[in-house]
Amino acid sequence: MTARLTDQDWLTARSTRAVIAALEAVGGAGCARFVGGCVRNAVIGQPVGDIDIATTLKPEDTERAIRAAGLKAVPTGMAHGTVTAVADRMPFEITTLRRDVSTDGRNATVAFTDDWAEDAARRDFRLNALYADADGRVFDPTGEGLADAAAGRIVFVGDPATRITEDYLRILRFFRFRAWHGRGEPDAAALAACAVLAPGMTRLSAERVFKELMKLLEAPDPRSAIAAMATASVLSRILPEGSLSPVFDAMVRQTPDPVLRLMALLPSDERGVRDAAARLRFPNSTRDRLAFAALAAPGISLSMNDAEVRAAVYRHGARTVVDALLRRWAEAPGGTADAERLLGLISSWPVPLMPVGGKELARLGVEPGPETGRILTAFEDAWVADDFPATGHAERLKALLTAPRG
């Protein structure tokens, strides 16, 4: 199976041509090829993001070639053969062809080579071991990468167990690529190897596990990949608090937001959310968003009236209430009309500011101190309970001043 990349703006861009020309000026024609995601996505008709280049040049020669062409060279990983070139503000990660010498299950010691097949043999999946030259001709050293890309097959290069024990992150990458590019049934040998070797994921950093999980959940439809993770007992290892349920299925259909999809995998309680956040080291913003939604959830339902919705938004914030409401909707997909009405109300209601404060109480003779806080709290509670009336604030304050405590 052969292919040639056509109609690829990134391939013919001035910045791309400048980088390739710089490398070939030192290494000769054919010393550099595009590799990995940019080739794979171009082949299957998906958008191309990062542009990676493989080269027979040694890292120091790559750096010298880039600088000689007047481009910026950043030695981002010289020990592993990587130099980043910047042309027209566009970064290109350039890596010398490599073979693994040893690995501890996450980090590898490499030796440089000029053998394209040897470089392909150390890559993770066959559809990622595709190369293309400056003219767009695609090279498929494994002989199966193009066919896999066309069929949506995620298959390890060579023996799955060998690839995984070289880097246990490849277990999570298998499911991530399954979510983004896979079709049909998952490769049986790959799935079996992931299940057997899943305990090795303890070598991975929590931050990296979280990042891979979120990339997976960003896929247009990650449901089959998450189901495969559950089948292989990988999901329970990285997210023991979580479970696969119809709530997750409904949430995927409702929103592309990976945080909300993660919420649908987690229990609807603050403690469970915070336990998962601590173990996987969620970013603070993600942890707080999920925890606040779980905290607000008991008071949120699809049957709320308008006043109850406004009170919840005032107390918890619009995003928290929307998140909790989407959880309730996922739990009861039949409530679409109610959910859409409430979401519309939230988006259109401007949250009012507390209409009185310490200055108003001071005018009534209340000295600053605990009494001020008590009265303002009582005022706010009554104002919210009455659905935020716009008038009558002075009378309400006076009534609170004369009312007996308790």
Side-chain angles (χ1 to χ4, degrees), residues 122-313:
R122 68 175 299 278
R123 295 185 178 273
D124 49 11
F125 309 112
R126 298 186 313 205
L127 83 170
N128 286 341
L130 295 173
Y131 304 77
D133 67 13
D135 295 324
R137 289 178 297 179
V138 177
F139 299 85
D140 184 5
T142 71
E144 298 289 345
L146 282 168
D148 286 352
R153 292 191 299 261
I154 314 301
V155 182
F156 282 99
V157 174
D159 176 55
T162 300
R163 294 286 81 78
I164 290 171
T165 53
E166 289 169 348
D167 183 356
Y168 285 94
L169 187 66
R170 286 172 173 166
I171 292 176
L172 296 180
R173 284 174 61 83
F174 170 75
F175 295 106
R176 171 159 68 91
F177 279 93
R178 165 92 185 147
W180 280 95
H181 307 297
R183 298 193 303 276
E185 292 298 314
D187 181 68
L191 196 62
C194 289
V196 170
L197 297 171
M201 290 191 300
T202 55
R203 299 168 184 253
L204 305 176
S205 71
E207 294 89 347
R208 196 59 190 266
V209 171
F210 174 78
K211 185 178 292 187
E212 283 293 324
L213 177 60
M214 296 307 282
K215 287 180 180 178
L216 188 161
L217 292 174
E218 288 172 359
D221 189 348
R223 288 175 292 181
S224 66
I226 290 291
M229 288 177 72
T231 298
S233 298
V234 171
L235 182 63
S236 61
R237 285 189 175 276
I238 65 172
L239 210 63
E241 303 86 357
S243 62
L244 187 59
S245 73
V247 175
F248 177 72
D249 182 83
M251 189 68 84
V252 169
R253 286 185 273 108
Q254 285 175 11
T255 176
D257 188 334
V259 175
L260 290 176
R261 291 172 172 185
L262 175 60
M263 179 176 72
L265 290 172
L266 293 170
S268 185
D269 70 88
E270 185 189 12
R271 184 70 267 161
V273 167
R274 291 196 180 276
D275 286 346
R279 196 186 62 262
L280 287 185
R281 299 183 184 176
F282 292 5
N284 291 345
S285 59
T286 301
R287 176 202 65 202
D288 291 345
R289 183 180 174 189
L290 292 172
F292 293 161
L295 194 61
I300 304 298
S301 75
L302 297 181
S303 62
M304 289 189 296
N305 61 37
D306 290 7
E308 290 170 333
V309 172
R310 285 189 283 265
V313 170

Side-chain angles (χ1 to χ4, degrees), residues 59-78:
E60 58 274 14
D61 294 328
T62 296
E63 185 177 12
R64 177 168 57 86
I66 296 301
R67 295 190 191 282
L71 303 176
K72 182 178 179 179
V74 183
T76 44
M78 297 293 278

Side-chain angles (χ1 to χ4, degrees), residues 85-151:
V86 181
D88 293 338
R89 300 184 179 181
M90 178 73 182
F92 297 80
E93 192 170 276
I94 307 166
T95 303
T96 302
L97 302 185
R98 300 174 293 183
R99 59 180 174 82
D100 289 340
V101 175
S102 63
T103 178
D104 62 4
R106 182 64 190 98
N107 300 300
T109 300
V110 301
F112 302 130
T113 179
D114 58 4
D115 187 331
W116 295 94
E118 201 168 29
D119 185 76
R122 68 175 299 278
R123 295 185 178 273
D124 49 11
F125 309 112
R126 298 186 313 205
L127 83 170
N128 286 341
L130 295 173
Y131 304 77
D133 67 13
D135 295 324
R137 289 178 297 179
V138 177
F139 299 85
D140 184 5
T142 71
E144 298 289 345
L146 282 168
D148 286 352

Side-chain angles (χ1 to χ4, degrees), residues 27-60:
C31 74
R33 294 175 182 172
F34 305 102
V35 66
C38 61
V39 182
R40 177 199 65 231
N41 283 15
V43 165
I44 61 181
Q46 292 190 357
V48 171
D50 297 336
I51 301 175
D52 295 336
I53 297 172
T55 181
T56 56
L57 291 175
K58 298 297 189 290
E60 58 274 14

Side-chain angles (χ1 to χ4, degrees), residues 361 366-377 400-401 403 405:
L361 285 178
V366 179
E367 295 291 333
E371 184 67 2
T372 296
R374 181 190 71 79
I375 294 173
L376 289 178
T377 298
L400 288 170
L401 288 173
R405 283 196 172 193

